[in-house]
Amino acid sequence: MTAESDGAMPGRTDVFGRYALAGRRYKRLLGGNFMRLPEAELQAFGERMAVDSREITLADLRELFSGDWRERLTGAWLAGFGMRVEVRDVISRLLLEQADRHAGKGHCFALMRFGSMVDADTLARHLDRSLGRLDLRADQPWALGALLVLDENLKTNYSAEFIQRDGVWDRWVRAGESALYTPSQMKAEMQSWSSFAESATRQ
């Protein structure tokens, strides 16, 4: 399905067109694909994200969260970029509900950016619920990476119970069929996303 046909789908809104579809944004946000852009394109992408994250209204932001994974993913990244903590409640709820695997990575990013004990607690609760589901291969690595970043920043130890030797993380990894990132790799990836947002919003 092309970006143009996405925009023409029944039920799509102007908010979707402006914030998720424009510049193929949601496709670039998916899994942090934007990080592989050439340097000049990456800078322009970050600048546009920073502007939109500041200028989007709360009503439009909440409308994104009422859509499908494309809108939710975009809304989470905009909220994280702009530190829009007024939507923390909806992001936390969607993550804990495990609403969808694609947008969940964006929810983890946003909570990491918000950076409070409340956000760390939400990520820990999400991992506590989801790592026991060995068949669920979704956003757990990104949630763990985000939690590890917050543990370092907050001087907390929420992640310890998950990554102890032969603990729930190891069991979840062994149950999968494909190679997964290690906790340290996921922490580095999530930190790179946060650093990119921090740099873009300082411009």
Side-chain angles (χ1 to χ4, degrees), residues 11 16 21 23 29 38 55 59 78-79 85 92 96 100 105 110 118 121 128 170 172 178 181 186 188-190 193 200:
F16 170 79
L21 185 62
L29 291 172
E55 295 183 352
L78 289 172
V85 296
S92 298
L96 291 172
D100 55 67
K105 298 171 187 178
V118 171
D121 182 70
D128 187 56
D170 284 346
W172 185 83
S178 59
Y181 294 116
M186 290 311 305
E189 179 167 343
M190 296 303 286
W193 291 3

Side-chain angles (χ1 to χ4, degrees), residues 85-105:
V85 296
E86 62 266 39
V87 291
R88 172 186 277 131
D89 58 340
V90 68
I91 290 173
S92 298
R93 175 178 57 79
L94 289 169
L95 183 65
L96 291 172
E97 289 175 355
Q98 299 168 22
D100 55 67
R101 60 183 301 169
H102 298 305
K105 298 171 187 178

Side-chain angles (χ1 to χ4, degrees), residues 92 95-96 98 108 111 116-132 140 142-148 150-151 156-162 168:
S92 298
L95 183 65
L96 291 172
Q98 299 168 22
C108 295
L111 295 177
S116 75
M117 292 277 196
V118 171
D119 306 305
D121 182 70
T122 298
L123 288 163
R125 284 191 289 146
H126 171 57
L127 287 167
D128 187 56
R129 296 178 184 184
S130 64
L131 286 176
Q140 291 97 323
W142 289 266
L144 179 62
L147 185 58
L148 286 164
L150 289 189
D151 270 345
T156 52
N157 206 23
Y158 284 94
S159 58
E161 65 176 294
F162 305 114
V168 290

Side-chain angles (χ1 to χ4, degrees), residues 36-144:
R36 293 187 285 275
L37 289 171
E39 185 174 352
E41 290 183 45
L42 180 62
Q43 182 177 347
F45 180 82
E47 290 172 354
R48 189 68 252 169
M49 283 288 297
V51 169
D52 284 350
S53 72
R54 290 191 298 267
E55 295 183 352
I56 188 171
T57 66
L58 179 57
D60 283 351
L61 197 52
R62 288 193 177 276
E63 184 174 332
L64 285 174
F65 287 115
S66 70
D68 71 6
W69 71 266
R70 299 165 182 83
E71 287 100 330
R72 291 175 178 181
L73 175 68
T74 305
W77 274 91
L78 289 172
F81 252 73
M83 298 294 287
R84 303 291 294 269
V85 296
E86 62 266 39
V87 291
R88 172 186 277 131
D89 58 340
V90 68
I91 290 173
S92 298
R93 175 178 57 79
L94 289 169
L95 183 65
L96 291 172
E97 289 175 355
Q98 299 168 22
D100 55 67
R101 60 183 301 169
H102 298 305
K105 298 171 187 178
H107 300 151
C108 295
F109 164 77
L111 295 177
M112 173 184 63
R113 283 280 290 162
F114 295 163
S116 75
M117 292 277 196
V118 171
D119 306 305
D121 182 70
T122 298
L123 288 163
R125 284 191 289 146
H126 171 57
L127 287 167
D128 187 56
R129 296 178 184 184
S130 64
L131 286 176
R133 297 180 55 187
L134 300 182
D135 61 326
L136 180 64
R137 323 305 292 181
D139 53 41
Q140 291 97 323
W142 289 266
L144 179 62

